[in-house]
Amino acid sequence: MHSNFSACRTARYFLFIVLLVLIAASSEVQAAPKPSATHLLTEYLENPLGIDVPQPRLSWQFVQNARGARQSAYQIQVADSLEALKSGKANVWDGGKVFSSRSVNIPLPAKQLRSGMRCYWRVKVWDADGAPSDFSAPAWFEMGLLNKEDWQGVWLTAPMADGSAFLGPPQETAPFFRFEFALDKPVKRARAYVTGLGYYELYLNGGKVGDRVLDPAYTTFSKRVLYSAYDVTNQVKQGRNAVGAILGKGWYGGPPCVIAQLNIEFRDGTRASITTNRDWKYSLGPILENSIFHGETYDARLEQPGWDSPGFEDSKWRPALVAHPPTEKLSAQMMQPIRVVETIKPRKLRRLKDGSWVFDFGQNFSGWCRLKVSGPAGTEVILRHAELVHPNGAVNQDNLRGAKATDRYILKGEGVEIYEPRFTYHGFRYAQIEGFPGRPNLGTLTGCVVHTDFPRRGAFECSNPLLNKIQSNSVWGYRTNWHSIPTDCPQRDERQGWLGDAQSTSDMGFYNFDAAAAYTNYLQDIQDVQGEDGRIPDTVPYVYGQNPGDPMWAGAYLFIAWDLYRHSGDNRLLERHYEGFKRYVDMLAMEAKDYILTRNQYGDWLSPIEAKEDRVPKELISTCAFYRSAWIAARVAEIIGRPDDAKRHNDLCSKIANAFNAKFFNPETNNYGNASQLSNAFPLYLGIVPEGKRKSVLENLVKDVVVNCNGHLSTGFVGTRLLMDVLCNEGRADVAYTIVTQRDYPGWGYMIENGATTIWERWDLRVGRGMNSHNHPNHGSISAWFYRMVAGIIPRADAPGYEHFDIKPFVAGDLKEAKASINTIRGLAASHWKRDGGGISLDVTIPANSRASVWVPKVGLTDVQVKEDFTIIWRNGKFIPGVPGINGASDAGDWIKFEVGSGSYSFWLEPRGGAEIFHTILFRERMGQRDVR
Ligand code: BGC
């Protein structure tokens, strides 16, 4: 498409561009409908329990179904009861009318918010003409336990049989705890605050509290343990009650321990707290072994029915021990928890010669199996999980390395028994069942998909099924690798927060999911482990790799924050982390010699040319990472008002760029480093190629892709994301499209040709022992490219949080149509382009209180009839004003760029060809929100 177009541009032609907009009758200028505010969020969460920041921030979506709708003012009201709020008594805070278009992340003043306090809030908004909305429907948030003293209980653990040593390896049993208490008055409201290491489950009066699994989140426990808050008003009662907890091993190295507190408010206004104390008792139960890597062994014969109900006979239970507090700080888990987010049915079942059975779920995922079985007591059913199968059909666990990924269930023999494990998870597509009494069927197992439960917010689809499949695999890979932190893989003996993996996928995370709260927590995780000297390790929490980490890995601290900022507009985040960013950049600056940073662990990890001798110079990658980190630090310093720092970082950037060019650029060949794709793409990406050389470097890059690599990439964890963006931004979307549509090695299509349902760690197919995960998120970063480049939705850093964004699709190759929609923090943003005859239509939706630059690609040169009912808005290189919401336009090379306000628009470019070619671009207006999902 691109070359086609360029060729035409070289021809001498008179460019006659006409843009039309159909004014639908209903769109005639009329009074704008009443505005409203919806989707109220506190700290990115809907009605959260357990907020523990002193100044919670509130966001809403300003809604007005009109062109160019803007909020001109707002009023927030906060009250301590719903009744008060509804009657207009904002007894916590009434901010009054504030003249501002701001609708995102507005902090409440730091006052009056007590531990456990429930606040109801609502907002009123005014539109551009000063017309007010009604107050929104109320939302609420509830404060957590803000002070150390709010925790009145002690940490409990369980002693071993000899009374001294703690539970732990080798048996890894999961201890059960219980305590009974009486409440002598009717309960008005009750909250449970709880956490336990490695994992806990809380029980009250015969039932589990909440639907969280694998809670709490994986943090650096010595620094920060997250607790969860639950509304248990309906689970406690006047009279006798029983509370219980089960503890799993999780990621915790010490003896399992728990702290819990029930805060109860009685109808008469008095209060009581039930806490973990010395009178709690413990016992071992049916979970004989639990390990994230190896699985769980559960002997149902050891169940103690009624253990979590009052009146249970617990004389054989032993007193729990008070444990040393395992952490410096308890803070609330202000992110979506891990849940069983969906269940899937197996597609196939196959009997093996040895009598075992293999289930195929048809999808690689993270989680576990729910087993349905009946048989004699003592029968042991074994479930082995794997991503792959051997040629004989048996599960192939070779690539799990040390992880056994095996659950065992021993029947109690009482009819139909349903079992699912609690304190483990597996990455698998196949499950092999051994010892099953009778003949299993497809209903025997249900796949439970388990990961951090952030809501989906984006969708992408296009006319090429291969790209849709890549998108699907990428999203499966991404979400099944989010287990309270972004992990590298869900199956083998690793599953850690490798920062290189986290930074390459954060952007796609923000496009596809409401992941802001989760990454806010993860950035805190990074801050928790940062050294005094600025160092950041390869993994967070720090388990594997080195410290300081590889500059492309450790730089994730800044890279992820920058992505989050662009998508959310969250300034406080930048303020909170700026000192950390600065310390990190200063450390690199001290370490670099003449502005070249040589320390590097992983190069362009797992690139197809990695094993070759002439690999990308590692110091080239590290120095680029250094530049990128300093560049982000400079931007952040500018944003948060530190001009001196900004200048210092900007100077550093110039020096790094000069040193980099002097060392790695060959002005004779116009190549960087080893002339590989990454060597040339990285400086192009950073914008540090010397003036006048950009084109030649790009030509070399394109030549390497097209000629040397026959249309394929040669990049790994570092280079792939950059390469695809650079090619588009430099005008060679056609080459990027060639890469992404390959079906042979190396490329996404090759994985799919080989049956992949997620994204592999390596570009090549390996099924043996060693490092070859079949569910690694990294190369799924291409999903961001689909949104950003193919559908063209790009949040801007200069007006972040979609206040002003670009819709700039790159139309390339044989792609006929692409669409994406994102429920941004301000509302629905959507782009849908389609080749239409010889031209192109582009339907866009801009949320209210936002604006966009819409780049209409000048594509297609065949003769097409001009339709009559369209309004011309661009002719002879000039913008013709008149259509509401379209405020201006300019010629922007391969695009015509329109500045538009909120609303839905249909642009239509209709070209004409001939000896004298002229384009006619039609813009057709459609009313109403278009759902492009
Ligand atoms: C992990 C990676 C990680 C890498 C560091 C691997 O074992 O699985 O994804 O980034 O180590 O090179």
Side-chain angles (χ1 to χ4, degrees), residues 485-614:
I485 60 164
T487 66
D488 59 334
C489 56
Q491 74 296 83
R492 69 176 178 224
D493 53 359
E494 205 153 354
R495 315 186 200 185
Q496 298 302 319
W498 281 98
L499 290 181
D501 311 48
Q503 63 86 17
S504 62
T505 49
S506 53
D507 199 24
M508 80 85 98
F510 294 122
Y511 276 116
N512 286 290
F513 294 95
D514 265 336
Y519 281 101
T520 301
N521 181 67
Y522 196 55
L523 289 167
Q524 187 58 47
D525 285 337
I526 300 178
Q527 195 181 71
D528 285 348
V529 299
Q530 187 178 26
E532 275 304 311
D533 62 355
R535 70 180 58 202
I536 294 165
D538 280 322
T539 50
V540 173
Y542 181 34
V543 175
Y544 289 147
Q546 302 189 26
N547 193 5
D550 183 295
M552 272 313 288
W553 269 242
Y557 189 26
L558 295 98
F559 308 156
I560 294 174
W562 192 241
D563 282 343
L564 176 49
Y565 177 70
R566 286 188 303 108
H567 283 274
S568 69
D570 186 342
N571 273 55
R572 184 153 91 188
L573 168 96
L574 302 184
E575 275 154 19
R576 179 180 299 162
H577 293 286
Y578 176 67
E579 285 306 322
F581 297 165
K582 195 168 119 181
R583 259 192 295 148
Y584 176 69
V585 171
D586 287 350
M587 182 197 80
L588 296 184
M590 295 256 294
E591 199 186 345
K593 287 197 188 62
D594 299 325
Y595 304 99
I596 299 295
L597 188 64
T598 49
R599 181 175 50 79
N600 182 295
Q601 276 93 280
Y602 308 117
D604 190 10
W605 189 242
L606 303 183
S607 80
I609 57 170
E610 223 230 357
K612 296 190 180 151
E613 252 163 48
D614 183 26

Side-chain angles (χ1 to χ4, degrees), residues 396-560:
N396 174 354
Q397 293 189 318
D398 290 349
N399 71 335
L400 306 186
R401 303 196 307 206
K404 296 201 183 95
T406 301
D407 295 332
R408 292 162 197 272
Y409 180 74
I410 299 158
L411 276 72
K412 57 189 168 197
E414 296 170 7
V416 176
E417 300 177 37
I418 309 274
Y419 163 74
E420 53 186 285
R422 286 184 171 85
F423 301 130
T424 188
Y425 71 94
H426 313 294
F428 67 108
R429 167 176 169 168
Y430 304 95
Q432 181 164 333
I433 195 164
E434 293 162 25
F436 189 83
R439 195 186 168 90
N441 57 44
L442 287 174
T444 299
L445 295 187
T446 304
C448 297
V449 182
V450 177
H451 56 73
T452 293
D453 189 13
F454 27 44
R456 189 72 189 263
R457 82 162 188 171
F460 167 84
E461 206 187 326
C462 70
S463 56
N464 185 331
L466 176 62
L467 269 57
N468 294 338
K469 179 67 178 149
I470 297 171
Q471 161 71 1
S472 161
N473 286 17
S474 301
V475 171
W476 270 105
Y478 177 83
R479 65 186 177 105
T480 58
N481 268 294
W482 245 97
H483 289 265
S484 76
I485 60 164
T487 66
D488 59 334
C489 56
Q491 74 296 83
R492 69 176 178 224
D493 53 359
E494 205 153 354
R495 315 186 200 185
Q496 298 302 319
W498 281 98
L499 290 181
D501 311 48
Q503 63 86 17
S504 62
T505 49
S506 53
D507 199 24
M508 80 85 98
F510 294 122
Y511 276 116
N512 286 290
F513 294 95
D514 265 336
Y519 281 101
T520 301
N521 181 67
Y522 196 55
L523 289 167
Q524 187 58 47
D525 285 337
I526 300 178
Q527 195 181 71
D528 285 348
V529 299
Q530 187 178 26
E532 275 304 311
D533 62 355
R535 70 180 58 202
I536 294 165
D538 280 322
T539 50
V540 173
Y542 181 34
V543 175
Y544 289 147
Q546 302 189 26
N547 193 5
D550 183 295
M552 272 313 288
W553 269 242
Y557 189 26
L558 295 98
F559 308 156
I560 294 174

Side-chain angles (χ1 to χ4, degrees), residues 829-849:
S831 160
H832 179 186
W833 63 261
K834 198 173 180 176
R835 289 182 198 268
D836 208 336
I840 190 164
S841 68
L842 174 61
D843 294 356
V844 301
T845 297
I846 321 300
N849 212 24

Side-chain angles (χ1 to χ4, degrees), residues 304-324:
Q304 302 189 43
W307 72 279
D308 52 353
S309 296
F312 173 76
E313 210 297 283
D314 68 0
S315 57
K316 292 215 180 83
W317 288 48
R318 297 157 49 90
L321 277 193
V322 173
H324 190 70

Side-chain angles (χ1 to χ4, degrees), residues 170-241:
Q171 77 267 44
E172 296 176 357
T173 50
F176 284 56
F177 296 80
R178 74 182 306 276
F179 178 67
E180 290 195 21
F181 58 97
L183 301 175
D184 55 4
K185 291 182 270 192
V187 173
K188 182 175 158 205
R189 135 188 151 128
R191 296 289 179 267
Y193 303 96
V194 58
T195 190
L197 297 180
Y199 295 131
Y200 75 88
E201 283 193 351
L202 183 71
Y203 288 78
L204 259 175
N205 294 331
K208 185 181 154 175
V209 172
D211 57 1
R212 301 179 167 206
V213 300
L214 304 177
D215 210 51
Y218 181 18
T219 54
T220 302
F221 298 128
S222 58
K223 291 270 179 189
R224 201 168 59 106
V225 169
L226 302 183
Y227 67 87
S228 293
Y230 299 95
D231 182 348
V232 292
T233 310
N234 296 326
Q235 269 174 287
V236 292
K237 54 179 199 292
Q238 183 174 6
R240 284 208 72 73
N241 292 266

